[in-house]
Every structure is written in C-alpha cells, then in structure tokens.
Amino acid sequence: NFNVIFLGPIAVDEDTTLTYTQDDIRLCTMQRSTPDQLLGIYRNYHKHERFHFIRLSEDFQSTLAYRAGLKTYDRLIEFNGVNVENETKQQFDQRFTSQLHLPAKMLVCSPATYAHYKSNNQRIHENLPTVKRCKTIYGATRK
C-alpha cells in the first residue's frame, strides 16, 4: 500500500516526541517467504516536507515489519542500500514493487533523529557508528 497523506510538518502521533536525546537509526531487514508476502507497513509520503515514512498495519505485532524493528512514523532513508530521500512517491513505489523478490532492507530513523540531522545539515547513512543493525526477520513459509 502507498498513501499520500497531508499532515502537519512533523507527521507524528501524539505519543511521539521530537525532543532529540540520542540517535535512533535502525537498519531493518525482512525476508519474505514469497514475493507477495506483505511486510505489514503502509508506505507514506509527506508531500509538503518531502519525506517518506512508515506506518505499521493495524495488526502490527505479528508483522515482519514490527518484528524487524520498524516503528510507526519512522522516516525511511534507504531501501536496499539506495538512499530514497530525494525520490518522489512514484519513484519509490516503483523501486519497492520491482524488488519484491529481494529482502527488504530499510534504513529508518525516528522523527526526532530525522529532525536533528536535517537541522544540522547532516546526512543519515547506514555506515554511521550509531546505526542499530536489527536481526533479519524471515517470513514463515506457507503450507
């Protein structure tokens, strides 16, 4: 699923703070059992502020995404090793759907971390020493 939603400039829920205390950058990898297996995310694009972000599906606790370490409102920085920050929603949708046969490796960060890095003109990338590399999650095979 890919939604374009029009929220305020921060696109966070009421339980999220934009107070930066430390980096929250995660490299999350999910391996589908079949290319059509859902990850359990909605891919969103904030049109005004021009960033991609994730929302977990309603039954999120059983999803590959949740088990891999993704959180609702995470900012999506890289997908399968490619920085997608400057891609339009259409470009990213094409990239995502063309790579369904591959593991989905997402570099994400919290809204507070994203705001901190952007306000300091710093680039987020997977080689930063503060990146948490989450365990790869494998989808169950269907019977």
Side-chain angles (χ1 to χ4, degrees):
N1 296 328
F2 200 111
N3 300 317
V4 178
I5 59 177
F6 301 95
L7 301 171
I10 53 177
V12 295
D13 67 4
E14 62 276 1
D15 297 326
T16 303
T17 176
L18 280 180
T19 303
Y20 175 80
T21 54
Q22 64 184 22
D23 281 359
D24 179 11
I25 307 170
R26 286 162 273 118
L27 185 61
C28 305
T29 306
M30 297 147 284
Q31 175 63 63
R32 300 171 182 93
S33 58
T34 60
D36 63 338
Q37 182 176 18
L38 298 177
L39 300 177
I41 61 170
Y42 297 102
R43 302 178 319 271
N44 297 274
Y45 184 73
H46 192 288
K47 189 174 182 177
H48 178 70
E49 297 290 324
R50 298 186 54 161
F51 59 78
H52 299 275
F53 66 100
I54 300 297
R55 284 187 310 126
L56 297 178
S57 65
E58 293 74 29
D59 58 345
F60 69 92
Q61 291 183 336
S62 63
T63 64
L64 290 174
Y66 176 77
R67 295 183 359 228
L70 292 172
K71 300 174 187 174
T72 291
Y73 296 107
D74 276 345
R75 303 312 193 239
L76 180 59
I77 308 301
E78 293 179 3
F79 181 74
N80 287 347
V82 176
N83 185 294
V84 297
E85 290 181 277
N86 292 320
E87 291 187 357
T88 65
K89 66 180 180 67
Q90 293 85 3
Q91 289 169 322
F92 178 67
D93 191 41
Q94 168 64 31
R95 178 179 306 284
F96 187 87
T97 57
S98 70
Q99 297 183 17
L100 293 177
H101 62 291
L102 298 173
K105 185 170 86 168
M106 298 183 182
L107 183 68
V108 297
C109 68
S110 69
T113 298
Y114 187 81
H116 172 77
Y117 272 74
K118 292 304 171 190
S119 67
N120 289 296
N121 292 318
Q122 294 177 309
R123 191 173 75 81
I124 299 170
H125 55 87
E126 72 177 79
N127 294 319
L128 290 170
T130 56
V131 172
K132 178 183 177 192
R133 286 165 168 71
C134 300
K135 179 181 154 194
T136 298
I137 299 300
Y138 295 89
T141 54
R142 296 181 184 154
K143 298 189 182 218

